[in-house]
């Protein structure tokens, strides 16, 4: 049984069609760690570019060359296999001798730099990612241009469909796990927990849009300061918040479910609880597994969004902060049809 995931569109469902990922170069991702390696320390940072290659597979190859367990190789985040991606891996190698990683170089992987750092690269330890996306055979270029101007104002910060698995299979697996099914694989368990949490968050975002509250500050909303990790709770009589939201000085947030009290209160708390009515199984399962209440921006701004037409293709570039999905931008622009004919398996 598939899981319902018909999330609301902020600007209405697009009626424009385009092909995506026909060629490897149609999806280019450049990871931005947000800091420079120190040049010394026990951790070797390997910056590389990979074509149509899996992040975990590359990590295993690095571990093999270093003669270490795969768990000793870390990276800030998984990157899509189908595309041209640039990212950094780290491996813990004390001492002065750095292994020769040159055998990593191939038609699919190219080492860009190797340096040392005093700390390992942890999951999530990145500032964001820059994307360049080519949409081919666009059915309505004028319509796409109009929508591109719209999304400059922001898009829903949905977790991407890849997090949920085929037909929401990771949600089904999470429910089975919460009902007693043993999951010994730590990676799979983490994946199911993340999927359940992300699903609840997406429901709150979708309901916010459906009820016409995407650009409305509710009394009791937990708002974040743009460019900061600080949050504050709104009060009913504060009329200046609507202008601050329109000027993108503050951002609305929603719950990443876990133990503890919701940060939102008053009308905002009522809204969030109503949006997640009927999801006690997932909420209780997340709490039982030790996750704690956190917050995430409901909407995101694709920074530096630019675009240009090349014949019937549109090339779009933008930057997203860590944890945000390019697919959340794409789904507001076009109905994409992925064509992997030129990708080797």
């Amino acid at each position: 049984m598939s899981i319902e995931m018909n999330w609301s569109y902020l600007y209405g469902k697009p009626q424009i069609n385009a092909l995506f990922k026909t060629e490897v170069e149609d999806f280019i991702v450049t990871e931005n760690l947000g800091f420079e390696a120190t040049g010394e320390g026990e951790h070797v940072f390997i910056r590389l570019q990979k074509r149509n290659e899996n992040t975990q597979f590359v990590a295993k190859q690095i571990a093999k060359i270093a003669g270490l367990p795969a768990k000793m190789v870390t990276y800030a985040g998984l990157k899509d296999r189908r595309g041209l991606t640039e990212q950094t891996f780290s491996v813990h190698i004390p001492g002065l001798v750095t292994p020769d990683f040159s055998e990593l170089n191939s038609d699919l992987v190219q080492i860009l730099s190797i340096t040392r750092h005093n700390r390992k690269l942890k999951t999530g330890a990145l500032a964001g990612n820059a994307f360049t996306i080519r949409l081919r055979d666009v059915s309505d270029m004028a319509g796409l241009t109009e929508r591109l101007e719209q999304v400059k104002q922001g898009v829903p910060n949905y977790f991407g469909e890849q997090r949920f698995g085929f037909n929401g299979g990771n949600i089904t697996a999470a429910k089975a796990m919460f009902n007693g099914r043993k999951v010994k694989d730590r990676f799979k368990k983490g994946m199911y927990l993340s999927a359940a949490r992300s699903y609840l968050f997406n429901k709150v975002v979708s309901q916010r849009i459906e009820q016409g509250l995407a650009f409305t500050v509710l009394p009791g909303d937990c708002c974040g300061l743009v460019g900061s990790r600080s949050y504050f709770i709104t009060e009913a009589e504060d009329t200046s918040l609507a202008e601050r939201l329109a000027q993108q000085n503050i951002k609305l947030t929603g719950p990443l479910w876990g133990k503890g009290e919701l940060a939102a209160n008053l009308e905002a708390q009522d809204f969030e609880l109503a949006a997640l009515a009927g999801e006690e199984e997932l909420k209780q399962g997340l709490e039982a597994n030790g996750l704690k209440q956190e917050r995430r921006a409901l909407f995101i701004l694709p920074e530096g969004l630019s675009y240009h037409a090349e014949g019937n293709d549109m090339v779009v570039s933008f930057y997203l902060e860590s944890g945000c999905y390019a697919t959340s931008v794409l789904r507001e622009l076009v109905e994409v049809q992925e064509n992997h004919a030129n990708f080797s398996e």
Side-chain angles (χ1 to χ4, degrees):
M1 179 178 174
S2 62
I3 304 296
E4 189 70 30
M5 290 188 290
N6 294 323
W7 315 124
S8 300
Y9 292 86
L10 185 56
Y11 305 106
K13 186 174 182 179
Q15 304 299 313
I16 306 162
N17 298 310
L19 295 177
F20 181 44
K21 292 187 177 180
T22 299
E23 304 284 347
V24 174
E25 290 78 9
D26 289 354
F27 188 61
I28 301 174
V29 186
T30 302
E31 179 183 78
N32 173 28
L33 295 180
F35 64 90
E36 296 291 333
T38 60
E40 58 184 15
E42 295 188 347
H43 302 272
V44 176
F45 275 28
I46 306 170
R47 183 79 171 182
L48 55 79
Q49 185 183 74
K50 55 188 184 65
R51 293 173 55 89
N52 195 31
E53 195 58 275
N54 182 281
T55 297
Q56 293 168 310
F57 176 78
V58 173
K60 289 178 181 178
Q61 296 305 301
I62 292 172
K64 183 178 179 181
I65 293 172
L68 295 169
K71 67 180 180 180
M72 300 298 287
V73 179
T74 60
Y75 41 83
L78 295 172
K79 296 289 184 287
D80 290 59
R81 176 188 175 188
R82 301 186 186 279
L84 187 65
T85 63
E86 182 178 318
Q87 70 179 123
T88 299
F89 295 78
S90 84
V91 55
H92 187 205
I93 305 178
L96 301 176
V97 179
T98 299
D100 181 4
F101 289 104
S102 61
E103 66 179 88
L104 276 174
N105 290 317
S106 67
D107 291 340
L108 301 180
V109 177
Q110 185 66 45
I111 295 175
L112 302 177
S113 67
I114 297 178
T115 188
R116 282 187 173 261
H117 192 56
N118 55 1
R119 295 182 181 180
K120 79 173 185 178
L121 185 57
K122 295 183 179 181
T123 301
L126 73 159
N129 296 286
F131 299 89
T132 298
I133 294 170
R134 180 180 290 270
L135 299 171
R136 296 180 182 269
D137 297 334
V138 177
S139 64
D140 180 359
M141 294 293 277
L144 177 54
T145 299
E146 182 178 342
R147 292 189 77 94
L148 281 161
E149 288 300 314
Q150 287 179 311
V151 303
K152 285 183 177 181
Q153 304 306 309
V155 297
N157 195 16
Y158 289 129
F159 286 97
E161 291 184 5
Q162 60 266 46
R163 174 157 291 205
F164 305 112
F166 181 71
N167 283 336
N170 289 344
I171 304 298
T172 303
K175 290 184 175 182
M177 182 174 70
F178 295 157
N179 282 297
R181 179 189 169 200
K182 298 295 183 183
V183 179
K184 295 182 179 179
D185 188 310
R186 291 180 62 186
F187 177 78
K188 286 186 177 180
K189 182 178 180 179
M191 182 169 62
Y192 300 154
L193 290 172
S194 293
R197 209 180 194 198
S198 302
Y199 177 76
L200 296 179
F201 176 83
N202 278 13
K203 285 198 73 172
V204 173
V205 179
S206 186
Q207 278 294 308
R208 194 96 186 197
I209 296 170
E210 187 175 326
Q211 296 187 29
L213 299 173
F215 302 108
T216 301
V217 181
L218 296 173
D221 255 326
C222 180
C223 292
L225 298 174
V226 172
S228 167
R229 295 192 176 188
S230 298
Y231 296 92
F232 65 94
I233 309 301
T234 64
E235 299 179 2
E237 65 272 13
D238 193 339
T239 58
S240 68
L241 294 173
E243 183 177 354
R244 292 179 66 186
L245 183 65
Q247 294 176 347
Q248 298 171 342
N249 293 325
I250 61 173
K251 55 188 176 184
L252 300 172
T253 70
L256 292 173
W257 200 268
K259 291 192 298 184
E261 296 294 325
L262 274 174
N265 57 36
L266 303 175
E267 290 182 29
Q269 184 182 88
D270 292 340
F271 167 81
E272 292 178 1
L273 291 175
L276 299 179
E279 298 293 350
E280 296 307 313
E281 184 178 19
L282 293 181
K283 291 192 292 185
Q284 291 174 7
L286 290 167
E287 292 171 16
N289 277 273
L291 281 80
K292 297 180 180 179
Q293 284 282 346
E294 296 178 301
R295 304 295 292 187
R296 172 181 168 94
L298 294 176
F299 304 95
I300 51 171
L301 191 68
E303 299 177 36
L305 189 147
S306 63
Y307 55 90
H308 67 273
E310 294 183 6
N312 291 325
D313 299 352
M314 186 72 84
V315 180
V316 185
S317 298
F318 53 88
Y319 178 88
L320 295 177
E321 62 185 43
S322 173
C324 301
Y325 288 74
T327 50
S328 296
V329 179
L330 283 182
R331 77 186 298 275
E332 290 288 336
L333 295 174
V334 295
E335 273 285 344
V336 296
Q337 178 183 345
E338 292 198 20
N339 182 350
H340 302 149
N342 294 322
F343 289 79
S344 60
E345 294 297 335

